[in-house]
Amino acid sequence: MRQPRRCARVGHARPPRPRNRPARPADADKRLAEIVALLGGSGDYAATFGERFRTEVPKPRFDAIAAKLRTGLGKPTGIGRVERHNALEADASLMFERGRARVRLTLAPGGTRQVAGFAIVGTAPLADSFAGIVAEAARLPGDTGFGIYALEDPSPRAIGEHRGEAAAPIGSAFKLWVLAELAAQVADGKHRWDEVAPLGPRSLASGITQDWPAGTPMTLQALATLMISISDNTATDTLVALLGRDAVDARAQALGAASLPVLTTAEAFRLKHPAAAALATGWATLTPEQRRARLADPALAKVPLDPALFGDTAVRPEIEWFASPRAMARTLDWLSRKGGSQALAILATARADRHGLAYVGYKGGSEPGILSLNHLARDRSGRWYVVAASQHRGDGAIEPSALDNLVARALDLIGAAR
C-alpha cells in the first residue's frame, strides 16, 4: 500500500555541503545546455558533473545512455520547458530531432555548481498522441488498463482508453473513496475538517503514524492529508473507523468499486498473512456479507502485522481493492465537483507547471505486482480531465517508470491543448 517511485535515476550522488555563493537560475540553464552537448557527443564530462556523480556514472555508461537516446529520438537540439523547484533543483524537457526527454537536475551547492544528480524521467515522440500512448500502454507486460477522460456532463468522456471497463487491483488508490466520503460527511455537517479524533490502532507502513503513541489527537484534515500525501495506512484506518464501514462501502460502490467491503489496510495485511489462510480461503468467490462475517471473526485480530510479508511478487492478489479506469475517473470527477476546496487541496501535487496545467491532483497505489496511477487535472482554460492507469502481474515485480512515463505524456498533451 505504498506510493510508486516517481522516476528511474541515471545516477545520483549526494552533493557536498554548501560553501559560498547562492545558486542562480542561470546555473541550471548553463548545466542543462552542457548536458545537451554531452548527449550529442561533445562537451566536457568532468567539468559538468561532480566527482561523486562521475564515480557512480562513469562516462562510458553515460555515453551508452546518450547513444540509446539518439537512436530513438535523433540528435539533441536544445532545451524546452524548464521548471525550477528551487535554486538547485529543476525539471526540464530536452529536445531531440524526433522527440523529447524529461529530465531532473540537481546541482551541488558548492562554488562550482556542478551537476550532483541527473535523472532521465521519460521520453516521448514529438508527434505524440493519446492514441499512441494508449497503444503503448496495451503492450506493457501483465494486464494493463489505461484511460484519458474529459470530465463532462453527465459523465466522464473517454478520449483514449484501453480496457477502461476492466476492474483491476488498485492498492492504496482506494483511499480516494475514503477521502470522498469524508468530504461528503463534512459537507453534510456530520464532521469538520478541524475536528480532533484519536489516532486509531496501528497498521503497517507506508506512513509515519504507525510509530506514534496510540490515541494521539489528530485533526481530520491532518489524517486525510497524511492518507493522500504519504499514503499513511494508520491514518486511513482511523478515518474508515470514524466514518463508518457502511458509509465508506456505500460511497465506494456508488463510485464504481468492484469488490466490497472496502478493507482497512490492517485487515488486508492480516488476510494476506499465511496465518489467516483459513479466513482468506475462497475470498474472491465470497459475497460481501460472507466477507464481512470473516472480517468480524476474532481470529483475524490475532494474526500478526508482519512487515516482511511482501517480496518481489504479488501476495494473495485476490485480497485487494478493485476498480476500473472508468471507476477511478468517476471517483476523481466526483471529487472535482463535490469534494470541495479542502479535498482538492489535499489531492494537489507540485506537478502542474511541469505539464503546462493549472492543477494536478494525484493518488496512486503500489504493491509487488500491482501499480495504480490516478491523476486529476485542470487545464489553463478550466477544463477538467482524469488520467487513470493500472498494471498488474502475478509473476513478478513491476517497474513503474514505463507506466508513469505514459501518464506523464498524457498530462503533457492535456496541458498543450488549446
Side-chain angles (χ1 to χ4, degrees):
M1 296 69 170
R2 293 179 179 271
Q3 295 284 351
R5 293 178 66 87
R6 304 307 303 160
C7 69
R9 289 175 175 174
V10 173
H12 193 282
R14 182 179 297 173
R17 294 181 181 276
R19 287 197 297 270
N20 42 39
R21 67 178 177 85
R24 302 166 299 177
D27 294 323
D29 296 343
K30 173 186 175 183
R31 295 307 184 191
L32 285 168
E34 291 172 358
I35 289 171
V36 169
L38 286 163
L39 290 172
S42 60
D44 187 337
Y45 194 68
T48 298
F49 291 99
E51 182 179 357
R52 294 183 183 179
F53 184 96
R54 298 196 309 271
T55 298
E56 185 175 323
V57 186
K59 190 172 187 300
R61 180 181 169 193
F62 182 92
D63 289 343
I65 294 169
K68 184 176 180 180
L69 282 173
R70 292 194 298 271
T71 298
L73 302 177
K75 296 179 181 178
T77 59
I79 304 168
R81 180 189 295 135
V82 179
E83 179 191 4
R84 298 178 185 86
H85 304 299
N86 53 54
L88 297 175
E89 297 177 308
D91 284 1
S93 291
L94 303 186
M95 307 309 295
F96 292 75
E97 291 174 319
R98 298 188 299 275
R100 65 184 187 277
R102 293 185 296 116
V103 303
R104 191 156 297 160
L105 180 76
T106 302
L107 300 182
T112 63
R113 295 293 181 262
Q114 287 181 298
V115 176
F118 177 66
I120 298 172
V121 183
T123 62
L126 283 182
D128 211 357
S129 68
F130 292 129
I133 292 168
V134 170
E136 288 188 44
R139 294 194 292 268
L140 292 177
D143 295 320
T144 60
F146 202 101
I148 306 155
Y149 303 92
L151 302 188
E152 301 175 350
D153 290 325
S155 60
R157 173 178 61 86
I159 300 173
E161 196 177 46
H162 170 66
R163 289 169 46 89
E165 78 295 343
I170 59 171
S172 281
F174 87 92
K175 294 167 185 175
L176 289 170
W177 301 328
V178 182
L179 179 64
E181 180 55 25
L182 174 58
Q185 292 194 20
V186 169
D188 290 343
K190 297 178 180 178
H191 292 288
R192 304 186 319 276
W193 289 109
D194 62 356
E195 178 182 337
V196 176
L199 189 65
R202 66 180 293 270
S203 182
L204 294 176
S206 55
I208 55 176
T209 61
Q210 71 276 357
D211 297 321
W212 292 8
T216 296
M218 303 284 293
T219 66
L220 304 194
Q221 179 177 334
L223 288 168
T225 301
L226 290 169
M227 174 179 70
I228 298 299
S229 64
I230 61 171
S231 210
D232 192 295
N233 290 326
T234 301
T236 302
D237 291 358
T238 300
L239 285 173
V240 172
L242 178 75
L243 300 171
R245 162 155 270 149
D246 290 346
V248 173
D249 282 355
R251 181 67 55 189
Q253 185 173 30
L255 295 175
S259 179
L260 294 174
V262 175
L263 300 171
T264 66
T265 66
E267 287 170 342
F269 285 130
R270 288 190 166 107
L271 282 169
K272 289 173 180 284
H273 195 282
L279 292 171
T281 298
W283 187 263
T285 64
L286 299 179
T287 66
E289 291 72 20
Q290 290 170 326
R291 291 175 181 168
R292 291 186 182 100
R294 293 197 184 182
L295 293 176
D297 191 316
L300 183 62
K302 298 178 182 179
V303 175
L305 290 170
D306 185 0
L309 179 65
F310 294 99
D312 294 329
T313 57
V315 178
R316 307 250 10 189
E318 76 278 12
I319 298 171
E320 259 292 333
W321 304 269
F322 291 85
S324 66
R326 290 181 191 175
M328 300 314 294
R330 192 185 316 167
T331 299
L332 289 168
D333 184 30
W334 189 96
L335 284 164
S336 73
R337 297 172 187 271
K338 301 180 181 180
S341 60
Q342 193 58 61
L344 289 176
I346 289 170
L347 277 174
T349 76
R351 302 179 200 140
D353 287 347
R354 189 178 306 168
H355 303 287
L357 295 162
Y359 171 92
V360 173
Y362 171 76
K363 184 70 190 84
S366 69
E367 298 173 31
I370 294 170
L371 179 62
S372 176
L373 307 172
N374 305 281
H375 289 78
L376 173 66
R378 186 178 73 239
D379 69 13
R380 302 289 184 184
S381 299
R383 296 178 295 244
W384 289 90
Y385 299 84
V386 165
V387 181
S390 66
Q391 184 180 8
H392 65 100
R393 53 186 301 183
D395 59 346
I398 292 171
E399 167 51 52
S401 61
L403 189 66
D404 188 67
N405 184 49
L406 294 176
V407 169
R409 285 166 54 185
L411 292 171
D412 284 345
L413 285 180
I414 293 169
R418 293 291 184 268

